[in-house]
């Protein structure tokens, strides 16, 4: 009988005859021996398949539409390169993401630049790179762009609008409600639109909205379309991203086809037929294609049973920041029977460094390999050096071969910026 958590891992995951988890033809014990732990392991083909699924779902329903990967979910150059090779544009939210997108080979015209507080330096990088669209969030963005754009040229922009949609997700990742730090209310957006339309240096291409992240009901995401349509007729409508990803067996996010159907139904009802539609999936694009592999460092059976691993909030801030729930398996003992309720904790000097509470596992032992599925989104990007932690490698696995696309930090790396 398959392990009940196996389907949280990338498609095609299996268990070898000795009970060891196998991903993309690679045994996890071999991955641990070659790359060490913790390690963020990506099933490359699974990630590519997801990109193709999104692209096909959108373009088969509307020819004048494009998918732009929200890079902040996993801003590794190698991941961005996968998206570019699969025909997607890149949504970037900072100077470093712009530069890595260019390293990944993206056509600058397919870059969409976001941010509620873009610096002059970041906007200069975007303008000089030829970024296709800058999403202006405020008057200050416009002031800076008008200083940076060379007379005789123009920069394509979208205006970010608060659609007034309250999504049923964690408050920290709600962005469509009145009072959000992102975007402008419709009256303020109208004033900024009029200003941009009068500027000889800026080309108003359209409007943008984003409701939030980890949203399970696509109707909440589609609800942003009508408020955008009420602002007028434009060449481009960027509907943002936000579709939820599956982290646990209880999560039931909408399928990509259901999500796109909901958006296209709203677009058909409210938007011009000739307008270009952009969507910006992030979390749902990459989360299921990766898992984090740890080694159990200590097991403490006392008032509670604590299974401590060699990582934690240094490589996964989602649990601490948003209370994100995860599952995990003993990856080299997949055939063993569950025996105890445990708390999986990290090695960092914080009581909040708890990865999973509670979790049912076989009786854990020091040296066991513990794998946490569904960690492709917002783990690498928020990894940090707390307690002198060395950020882990990113490993791509495909057809029985594995390669590091980002190496593990060294002790020397920690001091490279000392002066």
């Amino acid at each position: 009988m398959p392990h009940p958590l196996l389907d949280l891992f990338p498609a095609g995951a299996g268990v070898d005859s000795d009970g060891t988890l196998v991903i993309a033809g690679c045994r996890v014990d071999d991955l641990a021996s070659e790359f060490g732990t913790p390690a963020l392991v990506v099933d490359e083909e699974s990630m590519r398949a997801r990109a193709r699924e999104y692209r096909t779902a959108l373009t088969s329903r509307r020819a004048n539409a494009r998918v732009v990967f929200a890079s902040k979910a996993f801003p590794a150059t190698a991941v961005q390169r996968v998206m570019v090779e699969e025909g997607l544009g890149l949504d970037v939210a900072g100077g470093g993401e712009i530069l890595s997108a260019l390293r990944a080979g993206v056509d600058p015209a397919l870059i969409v630049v976001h941010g509620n507080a873009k610096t002059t330096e970041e906007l200069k990088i975007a303008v000089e790179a030829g970024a296709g669209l800058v999403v202006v969030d405020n008057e200050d963005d416009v002031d800076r762009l008008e200083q940076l754009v060379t007379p005789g040229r123009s920069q394509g922009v979208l205006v970010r609008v608060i659609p007034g949609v309250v999504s049923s997700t964690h408050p920290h990742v709600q962005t469509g409600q009145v009072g959000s730090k992102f975007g402008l209310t419709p009256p303020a957006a109208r004033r900024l639109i009029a200003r941009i339309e009068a500027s000889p240096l800026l080309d108003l291409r359209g409007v943008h909205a984003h409701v939030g992240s980890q949203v399970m009901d696509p109707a909440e995401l589609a609800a942003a379309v009508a408020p955008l349509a009420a602002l007028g007729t434009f060449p481009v409508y960027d509907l943002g991203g936000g579709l939820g990803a599956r982290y646990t067996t209880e999560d039931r996010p909408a399928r990509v086809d259901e999500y796109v159907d909901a958006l296209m139904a709203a677009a058909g009802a409210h938007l011009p037929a000739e307008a270009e539609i952009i969507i910006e999936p992030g979390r749902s694009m990459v989360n299921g294609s990766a898992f984090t592999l740890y080694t159990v460092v200590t097991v403490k059976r006392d008032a509670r049973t604590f299974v401590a691993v060699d990582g934690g909030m240094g490589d996964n801030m989602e649990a601490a920041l948003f209370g994100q729930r995860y599952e995990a398996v003993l990856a080299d003992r997949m055939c063993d029977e569950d025996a105890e309720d445990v708390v999986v904790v990290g090695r960092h000097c914080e009581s909040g460094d708890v990865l999973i509470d509670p979790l049912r596992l076989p009786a854990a032992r020091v040296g066991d390999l513990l794998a946490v599925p569904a960690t492709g989104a917002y783990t690498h990007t928020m990894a940090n050096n707390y307690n002198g932690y060395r950020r882990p490698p990113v490993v791509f696995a495909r057809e029985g071969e594995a390669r590091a696309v980002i190496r593990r930090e060294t002790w020397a790396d920690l001091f490279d910026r000392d002066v």
Side-chain angles (χ1 to χ4, degrees):
M1 180 177 179
H3 193 285
L5 298 183
L6 196 61
D7 68 347
L8 290 175
F9 288 89
V15 179
D16 224 339
S17 59
D18 64 352
T20 300
L21 179 66
V22 179
I23 300 288
C26 300
R27 287 171 54 101
V28 294
D29 54 351
D30 291 337
L31 294 172
S33 296
E34 183 173 358
F35 302 103
T37 61
L40 182 58
V41 181
V42 176
D43 182 326
E44 182 181 351
E45 183 51 42
S46 174
M47 180 178 287
R48 289 182 179 276
R50 187 67 160 177
R52 292 192 292 269
E53 180 183 13
Y54 258 106
R55 189 192 68 220
T56 300
L58 184 63
T59 58
S60 66
R61 288 162 172 80
R62 191 178 183 110
N64 192 19
R66 60 181 159 125
V67 181
V68 176
F69 169 57
S71 294
K72 68 190 179 80
F74 200 160
T77 306
V79 172
Q80 292 174 316
R81 186 175 296 116
V82 164
M83 302 306 175
V84 170
E85 290 173 353
E86 295 299 336
L88 276 56
L90 296 177
D91 150 6
V92 296
E97 289 184 23
I98 299 171
L99 295 173
S100 61
L102 296 171
R103 285 172 62 90
V106 71
D107 177 352
L110 300 181
I111 294 177
V112 180
V113 181
H114 283 280
N116 71 297
K118 307 176 196 70
T119 66
T120 300
E121 180 186 24
E122 288 171 328
L123 287 172
K124 185 174 186 233
I125 292 170
V127 169
E128 291 182 349
L133 293 170
V134 174
V135 181
V136 297
D137 192 275
N138 46 66
E139 294 269 0
D140 299 312
D141 279 349
V142 176
D143 291 342
R144 292 187 176 103
L145 284 170
E146 288 185 324
Q147 293 168 2
L148 291 167
V149 177
T150 304
R153 297 183 57 193
S154 66
Q155 172 62 55
V157 299
L158 305 176
V159 173
R160 180 159 182 169
V161 180
I162 296 173
V165 177
V166 180
S167 55
S168 52
T169 188
H170 193 284
H172 289 181
V173 289
Q174 290 176 341
T175 58
Q177 75 283 6
V178 175
S180 170
K181 78 171 189 175
F182 298 101
L184 298 165
T185 59
R190 287 189 179 94
R191 291 192 293 271
L192 192 58
I193 286 169
R195 175 183 168 183
I196 294 168
E197 287 177 330
S199 173
L201 299 172
L202 303 180
D203 176 17
L204 179 70
R205 301 296 298 155
V207 287
H208 167 277
H210 183 64
V211 168
S213 184
Q214 191 57 6
V215 178
M216 298 296 188
D217 182 359
E220 295 180 359
L221 302 171
V225 174
L228 289 181
L231 290 166
T233 300
F234 306 100
V236 178
Y237 295 86
D238 188 331
L239 307 185
L243 179 63
R246 191 166 181 239
Y247 287 81
T248 74
T249 55
E250 296 178 357
D251 290 333
R252 295 289 183 271
R255 299 191 312 273
V256 170
D257 280 339
E258 293 171 331
Y259 164 61
V260 174
D261 280 341
L263 291 185
M264 292 303 99
H270 298 288
L271 301 181
E274 69 276 9
E276 180 182 26
I277 302 297
I278 297 175
I279 63 171
E280 300 171 342
R283 186 189 304 269
S284 63
M285 179 75 78
V286 295
N287 200 56
S289 64
F291 70 98
T292 306
L293 186 62
Y294 299 102
T295 297
V296 174
V297 177
T298 68
V299 180
K300 182 163 55 178
R301 295 181 173 90
D302 198 344
R304 302 190 73 184
T305 297
F306 291 98
V307 174
V309 297
D310 53 354
M313 64 191 301
D315 56 76
N316 189 335
M317 287 293 292
E318 288 262 280
L321 286 178
F322 311 129
Q324 181 59 60
R325 171 70 187 172
Y326 290 90
E327 307 275 11
V329 299
L330 293 183
D332 49 354
R333 297 170 54 198
M334 296 283 286
C335 295
D336 287 14
E337 299 249 347
D338 288 344
E340 58 184 355
D341 292 322
V342 307
V343 183
V344 178
V345 299
R347 60 164 304 280
H348 300 279
C349 196
E350 292 290 339
S351 293
D353 185 22
V354 176
L355 287 171
I356 310 170
D357 180 15
L359 179 68
R360 189 79 176 159
L361 279 182
R365 302 186 293 253
V366 171
D368 281 340
L369 294 175
L370 185 135
V372 179
T375 60
Y378 298 101
T379 50
H380 167 74
T381 188
M382 289 196 280
N384 59 81
N385 295 124
Y386 188 44
N387 298 146
Y389 184 66
R390 295 175 297 166
R391 288 175 293 182
V394 176
V395 176
F396 274 23
R398 190 178 191 186
E399 296 179 350
E401 300 291 332
R403 59 191 174 96
V405 297
I406 296 179
R407 63 168 173 80
R408 185 182 307 281
E409 280 187 313
T410 66
W411 297 119
D413 288 333
L414 299 180
F415 310 107
D416 274 353
R417 293 186 299 149
D418 283 358
V419 295

